[in-house]
Amino acid sequence: MDIPDRLTRAAENGDAAAVARLLDAGAEADAPNSVRRTALDLAVNAGHVDVVRLLLAAGADPCRRTGEYRELTPMLQAAMRPDPEMIRVLLDAGASMDAQGPMEWVPLVVAATSGDRGHPQTVVLLLDRGADIDAVMKGRTALEYALTTGRTLMARWLLGRGAAPTEYALGLAHSRARQSPEDAKKYAPVLGALHARLSELDG
C-alpha cells in the first residue's frame, strides 16, 4: 500500500497518531489515493475533527473538491453532519460559505435541510460567521427548502432569526397545510410565524 493510501485509510479511520506520523514522514496532505479520494475528504466525511485539524495544519486545501464524483467540498460534507465543530475548523482554515461545488450548493441551506430536522447548531454558527440567511440555492432559500421538506421547526427557527417571509414561502406553507389534518396541525405554527413576520415588516 503506497503512502497516499495509507494516509487516507488512517484519516478515514480517525487514527490521528498514524496520520501525524505519515505527515511527519513527508506524506503530502492532499495527495489522492488510488480511487482519487484525499485524506481531508475522508476525514471530514467520517467526522474526525482531530484528524482534519492535523491535515489542515499540514496544508490540506479546505476548498478542494471532495466526494466520490468530486461533487462536494469539505464545507458541504460538514454541513450535512450534526457537529458544528467541523464547520468551525474549516472556516478558521479559510473555507467559503458561498455556493460551491459543481451543483452550486450553499452550506447554510444544506445544514438547514440535512437530517430529520436540519442542524440548528451548525446553522447558528454559519449565521454568526456572517452567512446570508436568505442565500438562494437553485432558486430557493433555506426557509423555503425547510418548508418544502417538512422541517417546520427549522422553518420557525429561521423566521425567528430574521429569514425573509417570502410570498413563495407562505404559499408553500399553505399548500402543505392543506394536504391532511396532520399537516394542517404541523404547519399551523409556521403559518402563524410567517404572518407575524409579514406584519412586522408591513408595520
Side-chain angles (χ1 to χ4, degrees), residues 1-10 13 22 33-34:
M1 184 182 296
D2 62 18
I3 291 177
D5 280 303
R6 289 165 59 193
L7 180 63
T8 52
R9 174 174 289 188
N13 291 337
L22 288 163
N33 65 13
S34 55

Side-chain angles (χ1 to χ4, degrees), residues 15-190:
D15 190 342
V19 169
R21 284 195 302 271
L22 288 163
L23 292 171
D24 288 343
E28 295 182 22
D30 269 339
N33 65 13
S34 55
V35 292
R36 301 180 61 234
R37 305 291 290 273
T38 66
L40 183 63
D41 174 353
L42 296 172
V44 173
N45 191 59
H48 301 309
V49 178
D50 53 344
V51 173
V52 169
R53 288 194 182 96
L54 286 172
L55 293 165
L56 292 170
D61 182 359
C63 301
R64 183 170 177 157
R65 294 276 184 89
T66 59
E68 185 177 358
Y69 303 104
R70 322 306 292 167
E71 76 279 18
L72 299 170
T73 64
M75 274 292 288
L76 293 174
Q77 288 175 299
M80 295 175 186
R81 302 182 57 83
D83 179 12
E85 183 60 23
M86 187 73 78
I87 292 284
R88 183 176 290 108
V89 169
L90 290 167
L91 288 174
D92 289 345
S96 172
M97 294 186 291
D98 296 334
Q100 52 199 267
M103 302 298 289
E104 292 290 299
W105 287 347
V106 176
L108 178 72
V109 178
V110 173
T113 56
S114 291
D116 292 338
R117 298 185 178 183
H119 302 316
Q121 289 182 310
T122 299
V123 174
V124 167
L125 175 58
L126 290 168
L127 292 174
D128 288 348
R129 289 294 189 96
D132 179 5
I133 197 169
D134 294 319
V136 174
M137 185 177 86
K138 298 188 181 301
R140 296 185 185 182
T141 65
L143 171 62
E144 291 164 352
Y145 273 108
L147 291 169
T148 300
T149 57
R151 293 176 174 85
T152 54
L153 289 176
M154 175 58 70
R156 290 168 61 191
W157 185 86
L158 288 167
L159 285 165
R161 283 292 300 245
T166 62
E167 291 296 328
Y168 183 62
L170 188 61
L172 282 171
H174 277 297
S175 176
R176 291 297 298 266
R178 288 194 294 266
Q179 290 184 1
S180 72
E182 289 181 1
D183 285 323
K185 183 177 180 180
K186 180 178 179 180
Y187 277 83
V190 183

Side-chain angles (χ1 to χ4, degrees), residues 165 167 194-203:
E167 291 296 328
L194 280 163
H195 285 296
R197 282 283 290 133
L198 287 166
S199 296
E200 288 175 12
L201 295 175
D202 289 341

